[in-house]
Amino acid sequence: MTDRERWQELGQQLRADSVRAAAAAGSGHPTSSMSAADLMAVLLDKYFRYDFDQPENPTNDHLVFSKGHASPLVYSLFKAAGAITDEELLTFRRFGSRLEGHPTPALPWVDVATGSLGQGLPIAVGIALAGKELDRLPYHVWAVCGDSEMAEGSMWEAFEHAAHSKLDNLTAIIDVNRLGQRGETMHGWDLDSYIRRAEACDWHAIAIDGHDVDAIDAAYAEALGVGDRPTVIVARTLKGKGVSAVEDKNGLHGKALDDPEAAIAELGGERKLRIRVAVREPAEPHAFPGGTLELPQYELGDDVATRKAYGEALAALGSADGSVVALDGEVSNSTYSEIFAAAHPERFFEMFIAEQQMVAAAVGLQVRGWKPFASTFAAFFTRAYDFIRMAAVSRATMALSGSHAGVSIGEDGPSQMALEDLAMMRAVGGSTVLYPCDANQTAKLVAAMGGLEGISYLRTTRSATPVVYGPDEDFPVGGSRVLRESDDDEVTIVGAGITVVEALAAADALAGDGISARVVDCYSVKPIDAEGLRDAASATGAVVTAEDHWPEGGLGEAVLSALAELDEHPAVIHLAVAGMPASGKPAELLAAAGIDRRHIADAARRLVRARALP
Amino acid sequence: MTDRERWQELGQQLRADSVRAAAAAGSGHPTSSMSAADLMAVLLDKYFRYDFDQPENPTNDHLVFSKGHASPLVYSLFKAAGAITDEELLTFRRFGSRLEGHPTPALPWVDVATGSLGQGLPIAVGIALAGKELDRLPYHVWAVCGDSEMAEGSMWEAFEHAAHSKLDNLTAIIDVNRLGQRGETMHGWDLDSYIRRAEACDWHAIAIDGHDVDAIDAAYAEALGVGDRPTVIVARTLKGKGVSAVEDKNGLHGKALDDPEAAIAELGGERKLRIRVAVREPAEPHAFPGGTLELPQYELGDDVATRKAYGEALAALGSADGSVVALDGEVSNSTYSEIFAAAHPERFFEMFIAEQQMVAAAVGLQVRGWKPFASTFAAFFTRAYDFIRMAAVSRATMALSGSHAGVSIGEDGPSQMALEDLAMMRAVGGSTVLYPCDANQTAKLVAAMGGLEGISYLRTTRSATPVVYGPDEDFPVGGSRVLRESDDDEVTIVGAGITVVEALAAADALAGDGISARVVDCYSVKPIDAEGLRDAASATGAVVTAEDHWPEGGLGEAVLSALAELDEHPAVIHLAVAGMPASGKPAELLAAAGIDRRHIADAARRLVRARALP
């Protein structure tokens, strides 16, 4: 069999297997798989370098299906490579199968989950950055993109960054099958529209017929020969290629074929080609030196912004652990990641104002075992929420740090105030959410984040706040700290971050009224110290929570969840930002939001008095 | 004074006033204002058409400062136009002032809040769409963009959509002052990099010196003469132009000048130019006919997907109210907004897979009084969270509908499952969050959304569920419905959407054990029926909540918040999706998530038994 014949046969096998998998499931996206089958056949047989027996091999290429709905094709490729059996292929989309509706790292050969369009290419940029800048290994990153997803701005963030970083180890393949879910895409088969945009972004761009295996072969060879820039192959294809009942027909997206038997017959029947995928020479990735951890230490009573402590602690962590890397969205002089950048310039990535690409790059870097810390204003992580959500599906490990939380930022106004970040980050599968109130606590939590699995989030404060803990104290994730306590406590005040400062002042005011208040610093918002909170609530019989955040989904509701199953549940007053804030001084805004020391003390008095009534 | 002299003088005045405003505030972004002052001077004096006495005038142009941090310039323009006094200008950033750190519609001449970069241009696209397709009026939309924000993919979504819709009533002005917050942008002063990208996106593009008022004049004239496509003016400018202490200097972003007096002197001192801004001929916007509302009706016991009812009800609402318009992110055959599109094709906007642009366009359309309903999979609204957050700051009124909520979607897997949308949408200022369980309820809630202010969100279910309410029942926003009730109820089960179905089945199972359970349909998740829930909780003494969502920030925590201040708080078991789901049949996944009828009944039994213990 010639190469050409084998590629054509393999293409038909991948189509037939895609049809079969979807037929077994009764759902899925076979037609979106069939359009890219020839592109993948040539890639798998001739260009892809991958040891399917050792998916962790550092020199393995990376294949990211940005068009994740073409999962039948992904799994058919794995079958052709001998990684899964035909029997497993037919478990597609069944409960308990590793072959989910869209690919996830439940399979060891899948780096990241895709299925939310516009994410695979930005993540591939991150993997390619790791290859060039960190691992310094010759692996190549292949990203298979749909034409519909080119409408996502995140794809163009990826185009910008890949060119800016001269990622000649990245090839994007756009499967231009013309048809989206409900009709034609914006550009249909106008390949030139993609070519022009890509070239304007300084990519090398090649237009081909995506069913001509010789043209595909030539395009891959050309792409691998381009130095100094990434390449995009824009391939004209037919959705449902090879089966007349579905080929280039609208209205069949995401559906198993009505007559799979006829389709397989038209494709020439089942085949049993097995491809021995070439493996790249083994090599070790570059490593940066580590050392002992020497966290910054802050003097009790000094005023230090927790965002500043973040930057200093991260730089220290980077000195101790050579796998720590940092990214920032063009605000490193606000988040203080610039301190890390100055200390470890080779491990710092300026992502400009492209938060989606920043988080995607972090996901890509952690694919290769690097420990990314990505920072921007907390409010601007909302821009990347879909990427964070999907990172959890990817079982990614990364740390995010959001500065400028809440109304306490002051004059800049609500566009810059994160008031939903706790809700957003708590509602991420398996996440950790931390919110320190002082600099020493911040330093310890940053160090802890270096060892956490999954997605962790640190919320920091813009303004300088007093150091209330000594540098030798420990703050385990999932814990809380009692800052004021006596046997006579009649109420518990729970705060975190900036409201700890207010809670302490409120406790002072209450003491003046003869009311003894316990103050709990709930620095670990998720997981929360449910036992500690239950004990405090039961002991004092009334709880006030205060947070610089909307009332929904933040600290207060986390506390309520912790107390929910208690039989003897005390009344809880939940203070949070009550209305849309404007500009003003931090103290003015905390007061206007109803979360300052005065409001906390008033709420505590109300609870204590209510209980004193007959 | 010649035009040229007046423009130069006005530019200096705008600079001096920007310096003065920031000096009065002690913060702000004067240097980012100074770079664009000449561009704005010519615009205000010669090209902008706006009746400052009647900001609601339908023929007024629209000026959107996508670079919202240049708010000193915005307010200096308003002063030059006579809209605000010099005294008010100097209240910049003070508590209680309308002149916030970033512009908001607290000022009647500001259409939308900006300050989160990359949003103004996409919103301007929405306003321009309204002008061309709906209002059919000759107003022009001017969007002033920063060069740093061109890194946001959302800007390129806007470029794509503006060209696709041939928005020749839109002009973008990019103020290429080279310097971002912490250093040079990706492209510095490489104007051609922007020109090439814009032209590749089929825009007309003009490069100029942004301080040459003749060149600016010529560029605006050229832009207004271009038919069939939008124009971008790429202007090379100097950040801090005109003041040697700050001009083109890095490290001065977002800071008031150290020596404002010297700066004002260097600028030639204060000026008192007052520009009489030209007004466009009055005209009435186009209106689409309305009629009486005839909502679809569904038979009790039939199985109908709430997403289908959404589409049918929206089409009916569109027939009743000519101001209702719809947008969709290339999934209208899944969200069923295609039913609206078929009924009202002139009022339907296909936004392709660009959720940020979709929400931004909705915000732009509502600026002109249209009532947008935007739909996609609920999971994919996470892509637009920053836009939704900012829409609340804009006091925008728009309706969002997210389909395919939760694990109950089945085989497609977690990338397509919204498990955080309730948390995300609850944590939006002033939002309304609705989650119907059947088709008749959906229809009534869609109609209600047509009359709500602010941002409302409807969560719909993929699979068909039984119609449990007759078509004549009412469902006020903020209410709940008791579906099962007796005097002997020992436990309350609270569900919403898909878990109402499960709760009813659980109640049946419990009845078999001799346990009487009250079932509450909490279709209004925000505002929640706190009184109804408190009554049910107090009457039955135990509560189980169940939701197809992560445990954080959703229905369960909303219920806990409603009960928080109760003195006699019953124990609450809060069932939610316990771990990362995979693919499977809906029933399998509801069971695996721990939120199906069996888990609900088990939780209820546990609570009832615990209470029976001595």
Side-chain angles (χ1 to χ4, degrees):
Chain A
M1 199 157 23
T2 64
D3 282 354
R4 163 176 245 283
E5 285 164 355
R6 190 170 59 257
W7 296 334
Q8 288 171 332
E9 280 295 294
L10 179 57
Q12 294 295 78
Q13 171 173 317
L14 295 171
R15 285 188 184 93
D17 281 348
S18 295
V19 170
R20 292 172 63 234
S27 68
H29 299 76
T31 59
S32 306
S33 297
M34 294 157 84
S35 56
D38 298 312
L39 291 159
M40 290 303 99
V42 179
L43 184 71
L44 189 76
D45 188 59
K46 184 165 175 186
Y47 293 94
F48 193 50
R49 297 285 174 270
Y50 197 90
D51 185 346
F52 275 89
D53 294 327
Q54 296 196 54
E56 297 302 323
N57 185 342
T59 58
N60 279 344
D61 280 358
H62 295 266
L63 175 61
V64 180
F65 259 72
S66 198
K67 52 176 290 184
H69 55 289
S71 54
L73 176 58
V74 177
Y75 306 144
S76 298
L77 282 167
F78 292 166
K79 181 195 140 184
I84 64 169
T85 63
D86 192 66
E87 192 179 3
E88 183 167 13
L89 177 69
L90 300 182
T91 66
F92 179 48
R93 288 177 163 242
R94 275 197 218 144
F95 186 72
S97 170
R98 301 187 293 179
L99 277 53
E100 300 187 32
H102 294 75
T104 79
L107 288 165
W109 318 286
V110 173
D111 287 324
V112 290
T114 50
S116 179
L117 291 169
Q119 300 207 12
L121 183 64
I123 293 170
V125 167
I127 303 173
L129 276 172
K132 269 194 104 72
E133 306 291 340
L134 301 173
D135 288 330
R136 303 175 188 177
L137 287 174
Y139 55 76
H140 201 84
V141 184
W142 306 88
V144 183
C145 310
D147 50 349
S148 284
E149 69 177 322
M150 300 309 292
E152 290 282 12
S154 55
M155 297 298 271
W156 298 101
E157 293 182 14
F159 267 76
E160 284 279 20
H161 282 262
H164 182 71
S165 299
K166 304 189 189 305
L167 298 180
D168 52 11
N169 56 344
L170 171 67
T171 301
I173 302 155
I174 309 180
D175 175 19
V176 186
N177 65 25
R178 185 182 73 86
L179 294 172
Q181 172 173 327
R182 57 75 262 167
E184 194 167 56
T185 64
M186 194 185 274
H187 299 297
W189 272 324
D190 179 6
L191 298 197
D192 190 52
S193 70
Y194 299 106
I195 295 282
R196 279 186 287 125
R197 285 161 177 74
E199 288 180 345
C201 291
D202 302 312
W203 281 51
H204 183 64
I206 308 169
I208 59 168
D209 172 350
H211 300 306
D212 175 343
V213 292
D214 292 326
I216 297 168
D217 179 31
Y220 289 146
E222 182 177 331
L224 291 178
V226 174
D228 89 348
R229 64 186 58 203
T231 296
V232 58
I233 296 168
V234 183
R236 183 189 196 278
T237 64
L238 293 166
K239 197 160 178 171
K241 163 76 177 173
V243 174
S244 49
V246 298
E247 188 176 283
D248 192 35
K249 288 206 166 59
N250 196 19
L252 299 171
H253 180 93
K255 290 178 181 158
L257 270 58
D258 283 340
D259 190 344
E261 295 308 318
I264 294 161
E266 188 177 345
L267 290 164
E270 287 181 42
R271 290 165 183 79
K272 298 194 152 81
L273 279 176
R274 166 81 166 76
I275 305 298
R276 192 167 302 278
V277 175
V279 173
R280 205 182 293 282
E281 287 281 297
E284 282 305 305
H286 176 78
F288 296 91
T292 52
L293 179 61
E294 291 182 32
L295 286 175
Q297 303 200 337
Y298 304 94
E299 294 280 323
L300 275 169
D302 278 3
D303 285 334
V304 183
T306 54
R307 60 182 170 129
K308 185 90 179 284
Y310 167 75
E312 293 176 335
L314 185 61
L317 186 63
S319 299
D321 181 349
S323 67
V324 168
V325 300
L327 311 90
D328 198 278
E330 224 276 274
V331 288
S332 57
N333 52 343
S334 285
T335 60
Y336 284 108
S337 68
E338 66 178 12
I339 302 169
F340 180 97
H344 312 290
E346 289 180 293
R347 285 185 270 152
F348 179 78
F349 297 89
E350 175 57 69
M351 302 311 290
F352 300 94
I353 308 181
E355 295 83 5
Q356 297 183 100
Q357 178 59 73
M358 178 176 71
V359 171
V363 172
L365 295 172
Q366 64 86 44
V367 163
R368 284 289 312 127
W370 300 94
K371 292 184 187 166
F373 281 68
S375 49
T376 183
F377 282 32
F380 302 144
F381 274 117
T382 55
R383 199 61 154 262
Y385 194 26
D386 197 19
F387 287 76
I388 299 168
R389 173 184 82 88
M390 286 297 298
V393 183
S394 290
R395 279 69 170 173
T397 287
M398 64 178 176
L400 307 176
S401 174
S403 66
H404 293 68
V407 303
S408 76
I409 68 163
E411 288 80 358
D412 265 335
S415 64
Q416 321 292 303
M417 294 171 177
L419 292 169
E420 59 292 295
D421 57 320
L422 294 177
M424 171 176 89
M425 293 306 307
R426 287 181 67 232
V428 167
S431 66
T432 301
V433 177
L434 305 170
Y435 184 16
C437 71
D438 92 343
N440 282 320
Q441 191 178 52
T442 303
K444 289 292 175 73
L445 293 176
V446 169
M449 288 169 89
L452 290 176
E453 299 233 323
I455 297 165
S456 56
Y457 174 66
L458 184 84
R459 184 187 220 220
T460 66
T461 299
R462 176 176 185 273
S463 51
T465 51
V467 175
V468 297
Y469 296 109
D472 296 324
E473 307 228 26
D474 282 319
F475 302 96
V477 171
S480 67
R481 287 298 294 266
V482 177
L483 275 163
R484 292 282 172 84
E485 187 175 22
S486 86
D487 290 343
D488 306 324
D489 291 340
E490 297 173 82
V491 60
T492 297
I493 304 172
V494 184
I498 192 78
T499 59
V500 170
V501 180
E502 300 301 311
L504 289 169
D508 289 343
L510 290 165
D513 298 353
I515 297 174
S516 178
R518 187 164 302 187
V519 176
V520 177
D521 169 12
C522 203
Y523 62 84
S524 182
V525 180
K526 178 186 176 188
I528 200 161
D529 182 9
E531 194 179 330
L533 288 166
R534 282 182 207 135
D535 289 349
S538 298
T540 64
V543 177
V544 176
T545 69
E547 63 193 304
D548 195 356
H549 187 276
W550 291 125
E552 296 86 7
L555 174 67
E557 292 194 348
V559 171
L560 290 170
S561 272
L563 304 180
E565 294 193 29
L566 274 186
D567 274 340
E568 301 288 322
H569 189 309
V572 179
I573 292 183
H574 167 197
L575 301 178
V577 175
M580 186 58 72
S583 292
K585 293 194 173 64
E588 290 170 332
L589 296 176
L590 289 168
I595 56 172
D596 69 340
R597 50 199 68 188
R598 188 172 63 76
H599 285 87
I600 294 170
D602 284 350
R605 283 187 200 101
R606 205 154 78 237
L607 285 174
V608 171
R609 279 190 207 128
R611 206 169 34 187
L613 291 177
Chain B
M1 202 160 18
T2 64
D3 283 354
R4 168 174 240 282
E5 285 163 355
R6 193 170 57 256
W7 298 333
Q8 288 171 333
E9 281 296 295
L10 180 57
Q12 294 295 78
Q13 171 173 315
L14 295 172
R15 285 187 183 93
D17 281 348
S18 295
V19 170
R20 293 172 63 235
S27 68
H29 298 77
T31 59
S32 306
S33 298
M34 294 156 84
S35 56
D38 300 312
L39 291 160
M40 289 303 97
V42 180
L43 184 72
L44 190 76
D45 187 59
K46 183 164 175 187
Y47 293 95
F48 193 50
R49 297 287 174 271
Y50 196 91
D51 185 346
F52 275 89
D53 294 327
Q54 296 195 55
E56 297 300 325
N57 184 343
T59 57
N60 278 346
D61 279 359
H62 295 267
L63 176 61
V64 180
F65 259 73
S66 198
K67 52 176 290 185
H69 55 289
S71 53
L73 176 58
V74 177
Y75 306 144
S76 298
L77 281 167
F78 292 166
K79 180 196 141 183
I84 64 170
T85 63
D86 192 65
E87 192 179 6
E88 183 167 13
L89 177 69
L90 300 182
T91 67
F92 179 47
R93 289 180 162 240
R94 275 197 219 145
F95 186 73
S97 170
R98 301 186 295 178
L99 277 52
E100 300 186 32
H102 294 74
T104 78
L107 288 166
W109 320 286
V110 174
D111 288 326
V112 291
T114 50
S116 177
L117 291 169
Q119 300 207 13
L121 183 64
I123 292 170
V125 167
I127 303 174
L129 276 172
K132 268 194 105 71
E133 306 291 339
L134 301 173
D135 288 331
R136 303 174 188 177
L137 287 175
Y139 55 76
H140 202 84
V141 184
W142 307 89
V144 183
C145 310
D147 50 348
S148 283
E149 67 177 324
M150 300 309 293
E152 289 283 12
S154 55
M155 297 299 269
W156 298 102
E157 294 182 14
F159 267 77
E160 283 279 20
H161 282 262
H164 183 70
S165 300
K166 304 188 190 304
L167 298 181
D168 51 12
N169 57 343
L170 172 67
T171 300
I173 302 154
I174 309 181
D175 174 19
V176 185
N177 66 22
R178 185 182 74 85
L179 294 172
Q181 171 173 328
R182 54 79 263 167
E184 194 166 57
T185 64
M186 194 184 276
H187 299 298
W189 271 324
D190 179 6
L191 299 196
D192 190 52
S193 71
Y194 299 107
I195 297 282
R196 279 185 286 126
R197 284 160 177 75
E199 288 180 344
C201 291
D202 302 312
W203 280 51
H204 184 65
I206 308 169
I208 59 169
D209 172 349
H211 301 306
D212 175 344
V213 291
D214 293 326
I216 297 168
D217 179 32
Y220 290 147
E222 181 177 332
L224 291 178
V226 173
D228 89 346
R229 65 186 58 204
T231 295
V232 59
I233 296 167
V234 183
R236 184 188 195 279
T237 63
L238 293 166
K239 198 161 177 170
K241 163 76 177 173
V243 174
S244 49
V246 298
E247 187 176 284
D248 193 34
K249 288 208 167 55
N250 196 19
L252 298 172
H253 180 94
K255 290 179 182 156
L257 270 58
D258 284 339
D259 190 346
E261 294 308 318
I264 293 161
E266 188 176 346
L267 290 164
E270 287 183 41
R271 291 166 182 78
K272 298 192 153 88
L273 278 176
R274 163 82 166 76
I275 304 299
R276 192 168 302 279
V277 175
V279 173
R280 204 182 291 283
E281 286 281 295
E284 282 305 305
H286 176 78
F288 297 90
T292 53
L293 179 60
E294 291 182 31
L295 286 176
Q297 303 200 336
Y298 304 93
E299 294 280 323
L300 275 170
D302 278 3
D303 285 334
V304 183
T306 54
R307 62 184 168 127
K308 184 90 179 281
Y310 167 75
E312 293 175 336
L314 185 61
L317 187 64
S319 299
D321 182 348
S323 67
V324 169
V325 300
L327 310 91
D328 197 277
E330 224 277 274
V331 289
S332 56
N333 53 342
S334 285
T335 61
Y336 284 109
S337 68
E338 66 177 11
I339 301 169
F340 181 97
H344 312 290
E346 288 180 294
R347 285 184 272 152
F348 179 78
F349 297 88
E350 175 57 69
M351 303 310 292
F352 300 95
I353 307 181
E355 295 82 5
Q356 297 182 101
Q357 177 60 74
M358 178 175 73
V359 171
V363 172
L365 295 172
Q366 64 86 45
V367 163
R368 285 289 312 127
W370 300 94
K371 292 184 186 166
F373 281 69
S375 49
T376 182
F377 282 32
F380 302 145
F381 275 116
T382 55
R383 198 61 153 264
Y385 193 27
D386 197 18
F387 287 76
I388 299 168
R389 173 184 83 86
M390 285 297 297
V393 184
S394 289
R395 281 68 169 173
T397 286
M398 65 178 176
L400 306 176
S401 174
S403 65
H404 294 68
V407 304
S408 77
I409 68 163
E411 287 81 357
D412 265 335
S415 64
Q416 320 292 303
M417 294 170 178
L419 292 169
E420 59 292 295
D421 57 320
L422 295 177
M424 170 176 89
M425 293 305 308
R426 286 181 67 232
V428 168
S431 66
T432 301
V433 178
L434 306 170
Y435 184 17
C437 71
D438 91 343
N440 282 319
Q441 191 178 51
T442 303
K444 288 292 175 71
L445 293 176
V446 169
M449 289 168 89
L452 291 176
E453 299 232 326
I455 297 166
S456 57
Y457 174 65
L458 184 83
R459 184 186 221 219
T460 66
T461 300
R462 176 175 184 272
S463 53
T465 51
V467 176
V468 298
Y469 295 111
D472 297 324
E473 308 229 25
D474 282 320
F475 302 96
V477 170
S480 68
R481 287 298 294 266
V482 178
L483 275 162
R484 291 282 171 82
E485 187 174 22
S486 85
D487 290 342
D488 306 325
D489 290 339
E490 298 174 81
V491 60
T492 297
I493 304 171
V494 183
I498 192 79
T499 58
V500 171
V501 180
E502 300 301 311
L504 289 170
D508 289 342
L510 290 165
D513 297 353
I515 297 174
S516 179
R518 187 165 301 186
V519 176
V520 177
D521 169 11
C522 203
Y523 62 84
S524 181
V525 179
K526 180 186 175 189
I528 200 162
D529 181 9
E531 194 180 330
L533 288 166
R534 284 181 205 136
D535 289 347
S538 299
T540 63
V543 177
V544 176
T545 69
E547 64 193 303
D548 194 356
H549 188 275
W550 291 124
E552 297 86 7
L555 174 67
E557 292 193 349
V559 170
L560 291 169
S561 271
L563 303 181
E565 294 193 29
L566 273 186
D567 275 339
E568 302 287 322
H569 192 308
V572 178
I573 292 182
H574 168 196
L575 301 177
V577 175
M580 186 60 71
S583 293
K585 293 193 173 65
E588 289 171 333
L589 296 176
L590 288 168
I595 56 172
D596 69 339
R597 50 199 68 188
R598 187 173 64 76
H599 285 86
I600 295 171
D602 284 351
R605 283 188 201 102
R606 206 154 78 235
L607 285 175
V608 171
R609 279 189 207 128
R611 205 168 35 189
L613 291 178

